[in-house]
Amino acid sequence: AKEMGGNCFSFYSQEMNERFENQLKMETALRRAVTNEELFLQYQPRICSHTQKIIGTEALLRWKHPEWGIVPPSRFISQLEESGLIIQVGTWVIREACRQNKLWQDMGLEPIRVSVNLSSRQFRSESLVNAVRSALADSGLEPCYLELELTESLLVDNTEHAISLMYALKELGIALSIDDFGTGYSSLSYLKRFPIDCLKIDRSFITEIASNTKDAAIVEAISTLAHNLGIGLVAEGVENINQAKLLKGYGCNEMQGYYYSRPVDANHLASVISQQNSL
Ligand code: C2E
Ligand code: CA
Ligand code: CA
Ligand code: CA
């Protein structure tokens, strides 16, 4: 039994070791990714429910590793957070999204709003407001064409600080949204206190909206709430026409999901926008 225990322990510690080594390997690879410019953005359209036109797009971070290929964000965002690299990378994402959106406008495309995801570490960093301000100034993008997506968990940590930070961001003229709405601590009181322009209903409420009456009731209630508060509403993860029709019926004014488009490269999105403009 003693031997067994010993074996178990050494097996366990070996596994721990491997995990630690993998984490180190990942971190080294990520540092290299930043210097070698292996990170890039894809863009998923946000569609107006009424006109069916692209009125916005969410910037999503991608990593193309020379051997591993495309690594999904679920595999590396948390490592970026833990290593602190997220500040540098997150700043680059904001700058790149602004630069790209201005470029689309300079190409003559109808202006759209680009939204960028913020991590909690970025939200807590001193430099955020200045980073956004200089991204706007350096790109020449009008502030109303930039939106930051915040999650509920990021707002409940230090509410007073969050409120003043959000007002500072709003002063720059940008839009703010709550991402994955309904999955965090949805203390509805913050909707009253935070300067929020729109709510993005999490995909988990959309997936079974046609068959699950509870999901449908929740979405309908959120929609009524958003309307009465004068806040926009976006449905995430819309995958079929049935969901789209129901959501439109519930008063959801914007849609995002594979039914309309997967996240695509910047050039691809530009050609789709220019085609819809010439219709
Ligand atoms: P998110 O902000 O909730 O982004 C939406 C995710 O849902 C994206 O996954 C998108 O590709 C996926 N999606 C969109 N439509 C559909 C659909 O119809 N069906 C399904 N099944 N999925 C859909 P992605 O690109 O893998 O990103 C995952 C998460 O990584 C994001 O979730 C966000 O939390 C994080 N992330 C991505 N880019 C950044 C970034 O630049 N900074 C930070 N901090 N986080 C990011
Ligand atoms: Ca998002
Ligand atoms: Ca989301
Ligand atoms: Ca999500």
Side-chain angles (χ1 to χ4, degrees):
K2 205 179 171 192
E3 260 174 38
M4 270 275 279
N7 284 338
C8 280
F9 178 74
S10 69
F11 175 73
Y12 183 66
S13 72
Q14 189 185 327
E15 190 183 277
M16 292 267 286
N17 239 328
E18 270 171 23
R19 199 178 299 171
F20 184 66
E21 272 174 26
N22 280 339
Q23 205 165 318
L24 269 182
K25 219 165 140 189
M26 188 74 161
E27 202 180 310
T28 311
L30 273 169
R31 286 189 190 282
R32 212 195 45 194
V34 172
T35 38
N36 290 5
E37 300 181 3
E38 293 164 14
L39 300 174
F40 65 103
L41 298 181
Q42 283 196 322
Y43 298 89
Q44 186 176 37
R46 286 167 57 166
I47 312 289
C48 172
S49 307
H50 305 286
T51 64
Q52 299 293 309
K53 278 190 161 191
I54 298 170
I55 51 173
T57 185
E58 178 174 3
L60 293 157
L61 188 57
R62 299 289 180 258
W63 176 17
K64 190 166 192 238
H65 186 277
E67 290 147 45
W68 307 340
I70 301 284
V71 186
S74 57
R75 296 274 312 280
F76 69 89
I77 296 278
S78 58
Q79 254 87 6
L80 284 177
E81 283 255 335
E82 281 158 29
S83 62
L85 277 170
I86 193 73
I87 303 291
Q88 188 186 343
V89 172
T91 302
W92 175 80
V93 173
I94 296 169
R95 295 183 66 83
E96 177 61 13
C98 289
R99 186 196 66 83
Q100 182 60 65
N101 200 15
K102 181 66 166 70
L103 189 66
W104 284 326
Q105 292 183 10
D106 290 345
M107 288 164 64
L109 300 179
E110 211 160 289
I112 63 170
R113 185 188 273 171
V114 68
S115 65
V116 170
N117 292 285
L118 277 199
S119 81
S120 62
R121 196 133 170 189
Q122 265 177 294
F123 195 68
R124 279 187 273 122
S125 99
E126 301 270 308
S127 56
L128 179 65
V129 176
N130 276 328
V132 174
R133 186 187 291 115
S134 65
L136 291 167
D138 294 346
S139 64
L141 183 74
E142 281 176 70
C144 63
Y145 296 116
L146 176 65
E147 174 179 312
L148 296 181
E149 298 192 5
L150 318 169
T151 56
E152 290 163 298
S153 58
L154 186 149
L155 302 174
V156 292
D157 264 8
N158 182 348
T159 308
E160 290 313 313
H161 176 70
I163 290 175
S164 63
L165 188 49
M166 288 175 88
Y167 276 98
L169 290 167
K170 284 302 298 173
E171 291 233 319
L172 299 176
I174 68 170
L176 298 177
S177 58
I178 306 282
D179 199 4
D180 304 341
F181 185 75
T183 60
Y185 295 93
S186 304
S187 154
L188 294 176
S189 67
Y190 72 59
L191 292 177
K192 192 172 82 179
R193 305 179 63 202
F194 293 171
I196 292 158
D197 300 279
C198 87
L199 302 178
K200 300 190 75 178
I201 309 178
D202 192 68
R203 173 158 56 95
S204 57
F205 298 106
I206 310 298
T207 310
E208 289 170 16
I209 195 168
S211 57
N212 187 324
T213 50
K214 288 184 181 171
D215 284 340
I218 290 170
V219 170
E220 200 172 6
I222 294 175
S223 177
T224 305
L225 182 70
H227 275 282
N228 292 340
L229 291 169
I231 297 173
L233 197 63
V234 188
E236 296 191 294
V238 181
E239 294 186 346
N240 57 57
I241 191 168
N242 205 14
Q243 292 167 342
K245 279 185 177 159
L246 287 168
L247 286 160
K248 193 181 171 191
Y250 292 142
C252 187
N253 38 11
E254 253 184 81
M255 314 276 184
Q256 186 180 341
Y258 293 169
Y259 173 62
Y260 298 97
S261 171
R262 293 200 171 238
V264 295
D265 290 336
N267 290 338
H268 188 271
L269 186 65
S271 72
V272 177
I273 296 171
S274 71
Q275 274 164 26
Q276 82 175 2
N277 287 350
S278 61
L279 283 179

